[in-house]
Amino acid sequence: MYGKVMSACLHGVDGKLVEVEVDLSNGLPHMSIVGLPDSAIKESMERVRAAIKNCGFQFPLQRITVNLAPADIRKEGAAFDLAIAVGILQTSGQLQLERSEGTIILGELALDGSVRPVPGVLSMLATARENGILRAIVPSPNAREASLVTGMELGSIDHIADLKAGTDSLFRCSRSLSASAAGSDTMYAPRQGDNFSDVYGQLHAKRALMICAAGMHNILLLGPPGTGKTMLAKRLPSILPDMSEQEALDVTKIYSASGKFADRSSLIQERPFRMPHHTISAAGLVGGGTIPKPGEISLAHRGVLFLDELPEFSRAVLEVLRQPLEDRHVTIGRARAVYRFPAHFILASSMNPCPCGYYGSESASHPCTCSPLKIEHYRAKISGPLLDRIDLQIEVPRIDYGQIIESLPQLSSEAMKEQVDKARQIQLDRYRDTGIMFNGELYGKLLRTHCNLMPEAEAMLRKSFEVLGLSVRAYDRILKIARTIADLEGSQQLNASHLAEALQYRCLDKKTPV
């Protein structure tokens, strides 16, 4: 006897449809699972056996072969448990489900037959919908998450015994859930308390961060301890443009696949902000493992990856950022598969000017104690190619006592975001139908088309290129910054003032006077 049901697994952060084929034949009672299953799937034999017996069904005393097709793709996780159990019960004639051939079934089984949630439901159902499967049975804790995939008929299940009443009853109970989710507000509440008005002074750094947010540029904050570098970077999400529906769906899929999706009832609408510790490994940053999982740079997709005290990170770890910063994705190869993770993020970082932190801002109480050689070695921890990929390199100086006690109003996140949103709308209109959304994504012909300099600006850039010894990559990034500055001012032309401001944000391109 032969039966088949549809299920799915995760391949990176994307779903992959899997056919669960069940064959019952005469012979000694035995159950085997083939099709490159991992340990969790092999162990599902015992979970399925116990769940079927403890729910009043009869486990077939026959030779049972379960095939997970396609057989050349590695499968992992416990999401196949429910599909395997349904396949066995249908093939043995103990269960008849309506339209099971067009239904995807997901869920992990407990020994008593209850159905537990699984990660990655959003990605797997999105793939099922793309392939024409419009019905799904999922664990009840995953139902809200599943309802975010529009156009699918959903059935939620708490216990395998619920299937005795037929699938139609499951779908009837879940229609109200799908209807309410479709009309609900999926916006997360914005972060409270993180506002640029809390930061005294530092108007130069705030201006740079506003440019960073408007064009999605990478930024490095350089300055002595206690000047507010970390405080400024943590407030960057408060001025970032709101995510589009597609961006929110992409971010939510990553968090769902990685098991970090805490609120399953709504899409993630707040741009991610990730701040890993400097002891993180390369695999923790870009992703990895026997079956690779997303790393910090993928969890920061469409948001901010903040590396505090950049030189304290291992140089080998920092160097793995070079390819994702250019390609906007990470490719991890394994013997049986190649995994691709999205990694379109803003790299925000901070560092001291020297090991003691006080070079260039010496005072009687805090003199710099570092030799020129120590300063050179400290800064050499960050390679030239990586610095080239950081658009904005900003000095954050110490502020005096008067700036702290003065009662002048500080520049707030609300005022900054208003300017960022205007600049973003200009970019959306300009790049319509080009496949990009921000100036930071400009490349090749598009860069030349939209970043034409006025004659005086061209002459200024030519001289700066020779004096500072800029690379071609730095040249391109200066043009992108100038384009964003012009957008913030509502200007179509790139004139000398826009370029001059862009050039001053490359402080590390100047030779260090040590």
Side-chain angles (χ1 to χ4, degrees), residues 373-393:
L373 184 61
K374 286 180 67 177
I375 297 175
E376 183 179 347
H377 284 171
Y378 179 75
R379 296 194 178 186
K381 293 180 180 180
I382 308 170
S383 68
L386 180 60
L387 281 177
D388 244 5
R389 289 166 168 82
I390 299 177
D391 310 78
L392 300 153
Q393 303 160 6

Side-chain angles (χ1 to χ4, degrees), residues 274-329:
R274 305 294 298 183
M275 186 178 172
H277 193 261
H278 66 263
T279 56
I280 191 172
S281 66
L285 194 63
V286 302
T290 305
I291 300 178
K293 294 291 185 183
E296 287 292 330
I297 63 174
S298 293
L299 295 172
H301 182 61
R302 297 297 181 183
V304 179
L305 175 69
F306 178 47
L307 303 183
D308 200 9
E309 301 299 339
L310 192 63
E312 300 302 324
F313 287 78
S314 163
R315 179 166 179 143
V317 170
L318 293 178
E319 291 304 296
V320 301
L321 289 171
R322 287 162 57 173
Q323 180 259 335
L325 287 174
E326 291 291 333
D327 298 338
R328 313 289 189 182
H329 67 264

Side-chain angles (χ1 to χ4, degrees), residues 4-68:
K4 181 177 72 174
V5 296
M6 294 300 302
S7 190
C9 67
L10 284 173
H11 187 80
V13 296
D14 298 317
K16 198 82 171 178
L17 288 182
V18 175
E19 295 180 355
V20 179
E21 301 176 300
V22 178
D23 177 75
L24 301 183
S25 59
N26 294 327
L28 293 175
H30 177 72
M31 181 178 176
S32 60
I33 301 178
V34 297
L36 288 182
D38 72 343
S39 299
I41 299 174
K42 291 177 181 177
E43 293 169 354
S44 69
M45 293 187 291
E46 301 306 323
R47 292 194 296 272
V48 169
R49 189 193 312 272
I52 289 176
K53 291 171 63 177
N54 291 331
C55 291
F57 294 104
Q58 293 293 320
F59 191 82
L61 296 178
Q62 294 176 279
R63 182 177 181 85
I64 305 173
T65 303
V66 178
N67 179 43
L68 306 178

Side-chain angles (χ1 to χ4, degrees), residues 143-203:
R144 287 283 182 184
E145 178 184 353
S147 66
L148 300 174
V149 182
T150 58
M152 293 199 73
E153 189 179 2
L154 298 174
S156 59
I157 184 171
D158 291 301
H159 198 278
I160 196 172
D162 296 343
L163 294 171
K164 292 180 180 180
T167 56
D168 283 347
S169 63
L170 298 179
F171 287 99
R172 280 195 297 270
C173 293
S174 296
R175 279 174 194 145
S176 59
L177 170 67
S178 299
S180 63
S184 65
D185 183 7
T186 59
M187 293 289 290
Y188 273 163
R191 277 195 186 126
Q192 301 295 324
D194 289 346
N195 197 298
F196 277 102
S197 60
D198 300 328
V199 182
Y200 298 114
Q202 303 297 6
L203 294 180

Side-chain angles (χ1 to χ4, degrees), residues 4 67 82 121 173 193 254 258 266 290 319 398 434 436-437 448 459 509:
K4 181 177 72 174
N67 179 43
L82 184 58
V121 165
C173 293
I254 294 171
S258 61
S266 59
T290 305
E319 291 304 296
R398 296 179 62 187
T434 63
I436 66 174
M437 294 187 292
R448 307 292 178 256
D509 287 332

Side-chain angles (χ1 to χ4, degrees), residues 31 52 103 105 130-131 207 236 244 325 354 448 506:
M31 181 178 176
I52 289 176
T103 303
I105 301 174
E130 292 168 4
N131 286 271
R207 168 72 173 175
L236 180 57
S244 66
L325 287 174
C354 65
R448 307 292 178 256
R506 303 284 301 184

Side-chain angles (χ1 to χ4, degrees), residues 122-143:
L122 189 62
S123 299
M124 291 186 276
L125 293 193
T127 299
R129 183 187 59 183
E130 292 168 4
N131 286 271
I133 299 176
L134 302 179
R135 282 165 55 96
I137 298 176
V138 299
S140 292
N142 289 122

